[in-house]
Amino acid sequence: MTEIAVAGGGLIGLAVAWRCAQRGLSVTVVDEASGTGASFAAAGMLAPVTEAAYGEEPLLQLCRASLQRYPGFAAELAQASGVEVGLRTAGTLVVGFDEDDMRALSALHTFQQELGLDAERLTGRESRRQEPSLSPRVRGGLHVPGDHSVDPRALHRAMLAAAAGAGVRMVRARTEAVRVESGRATGLRLAGGQELTGDVVVLALGAHSASLPGVPPLPVRPVKGQILRLRGAAGLLAGTVRALVRGRQVYLVPYAGDRLVVGATVEDRGFDTAVTAGGVHDLLHDAIDVVPGVSELELVETLARWRPGSPDNAPVLGPSGLPGLVLATGHYRNGVLLAPVTGEAIAELLTTGTLPELAEPFTVDRFRR
Ligand code: GLY
């Protein structure tokens, strides 16, 4: 049986592992602390439309394809694991604060319309009708009914259980290098001198992917995000609220129960872990400007992690250039959203030898041409 060694037990590594095991491959995932990286920090927005940006249309198509899969993916996971993943389908509201913010929202709406995406322009009053806790100073918004959210920590628990149920083995260790013999990846070298052999190695180490010895040059870098979790938000918001507050972006994502996530900074500072006074200040300041009731909530968690950024903000999927090494990394702001389509695409590649058409634009070759 083909042996697959997956480096990285975050949402992407587990999605790949689960789908590969379901197709009859023998899979081992290596992670010294599975689910404590970007998957732990993520807000869980499933938001192809509100994340859409000029020049990123191929990424938008991949994101939409993955979003389409989410209801089935969540239901299958819940059945396999017994864990509900908190899929929330109340849509997303993007609001603006001052005149410049409203101009930016208009430009975003025009772009969305050009692409035929579903987004409705709202006045300030209509926005507040939708989310009554919005500040009276909110000038207007865009309602995007198709952008949803999921609880990434519940998702990770569910994936761990589902993967184990499908026969995936977990090894708790730090990956130190890809084992390369005669120009081919043959497994992973682990901390403590252990080795794990594999016919194929899948690199799913997120922001750490490019710095692993043995990996060919890969343009993936850490992009720091500081993010906050608050308690006491039951009933505060129906769905995700994103805002432009005097040019700065903030998002508020409610979870089942009384939790609210407020995020996130975007900082090119390498592997810096500091949660800064300025970062927390800006996020809370903007969140309170948009939803004044946030000031009453209990701040229960602040943390910083790294998104795996790539030059075009899209993931890097498929062959790496080193025989035996397959890439599933670089998901930047869309790791939670792209987990279903990534798992499926890599499992398809490893069982048939062909990357599905929808993943073809995302091979590392696009940076080498
Ligand atoms: N997906 C939102 C973020 O990366 O902050």
Side-chain angles (χ1 to χ4, degrees):
M1 196 193 288
T2 308
E3 297 280 346
I4 311 294
V6 181
L11 292 173
I12 296 297
L14 289 179
V16 170
W18 183 39
R19 289 309 195 201
C20 285
Q22 285 179 319
R23 292 183 181 218
L25 303 178
S26 169
V27 187
T28 304
V29 175
V30 181
D31 200 312
E32 71 176 330
S34 171
T36 61
S39 304
F40 189 67
M45 288 185 294
L46 308 175
V49 176
T50 50
E51 287 280 338
Y54 289 105
E56 295 182 4
E57 288 80 359
L59 172 62
L60 172 68
Q61 296 317 329
L62 189 71
C63 287
R64 293 183 82 192
S66 205
L67 182 61
Q68 253 181 10
R69 287 160 171 74
Y70 242 98
F73 186 74
E76 191 186 341
L77 264 181
Q79 192 170 25
S81 66
V83 179
E84 285 301 331
V85 300
L87 183 63
R88 212 176 167 108
T89 55
T92 295
L93 187 62
V94 193
V95 297
F97 229 71
D98 66 15
E99 232 165 82
D100 288 342
D101 299 335
M102 293 312 298
R103 260 195 291 277
L105 278 195
S106 293
L108 178 64
H109 192 217
T110 304
F111 175 58
Q112 290 165 340
Q113 285 178 314
E114 278 164 17
L115 294 174
L117 304 173
D118 193 5
E120 186 196 356
R121 190 69 200 255
L122 303 182
T123 63
R125 185 174 299 198
E126 287 165 341
S127 303
R128 277 183 290 282
R129 203 170 298 138
Q130 190 131 347
E131 292 286 3
S133 63
L134 287 176
S135 160
R137 290 190 293 155
V138 162
R139 293 259 195 115
L142 292 176
H143 180 236
V144 179
D147 275 8
H148 303 316
S149 69
V150 71
D151 178 344
R153 294 182 182 176
L155 190 67
H156 187 269
R157 282 195 300 278
M159 279 205 205
L160 267 183
V168 172
R169 286 174 301 282
M170 296 294 299
V171 172
R172 201 185 165 98
R174 186 159 47 83
T175 300
E176 292 204 323
V178 174
R179 201 173 95 146
V180 182
E181 290 169 314
S182 308
R184 187 181 172 85
T186 58
L188 296 169
R189 293 194 202 289
L190 312 183
Q194 272 177 278
E195 300 222 325
L196 176 72
T197 56
D199 302 301
V200 178
V201 174
V202 178
L203 183 68
L205 282 177
H208 296 280
S209 298
S211 45
L212 188 69
V215 172
L218 181 65
V220 171
R221 68 184 200 287
V223 181
K224 179 181 171 183
Q226 301 186 47
I227 197 157
L228 317 174
R229 281 179 161 71
L230 300 101
R231 184 158 63 201
L236 189 66
L237 295 176
T240 298
V241 171
R242 309 184 70 150
L244 271 176
V245 184
R246 298 174 206 94
R248 232 170 22 206
Q249 295 198 25
V250 68
Y251 51 76
L252 299 89
V253 186
Y255 290 119
D258 69 345
R259 300 292 166 131
L260 182 76
V261 169
V262 173
T265 65
V266 181
E267 304 166 72
D268 257 304
R269 286 176 183 273
F271 288 106
D272 171 28
T273 52
V275 174
T276 63
V280 175
H281 169 271
D282 290 352
L283 291 171
L284 285 179
H285 179 274
D286 295 347
I288 290 168
D289 265 357
V290 177
V291 178
V294 168
S295 65
E296 306 296 325
L297 307 183
E298 183 185 355
L299 178 61
V300 289
E301 200 178 332
T302 62
L303 76 165
R305 292 289 188 277
W306 311 285
R307 307 170 182 88
S310 76
D312 59 4
N313 300 330
V316 190
L317 306 175
S320 63
L322 175 67
L325 180 68
V326 165
L327 305 172
T329 186
H331 291 76
Y332 189 41
R333 295 178 66 92
N334 292 299
V336 179
L337 171 57
L338 292 174
V341 86
T342 301
E344 192 182 302
I346 301 300
E348 177 84 9
L349 173 66
L350 298 189
T351 47
T352 67
T354 306
L355 198 61
E357 208 178 310
L358 91 173
E360 271 174 13
F362 302 99
T363 65
V364 72
D365 289 346
R366 72 188 191 273
F367 302 120
R368 297 184 179 154
R369 268 178 222 127

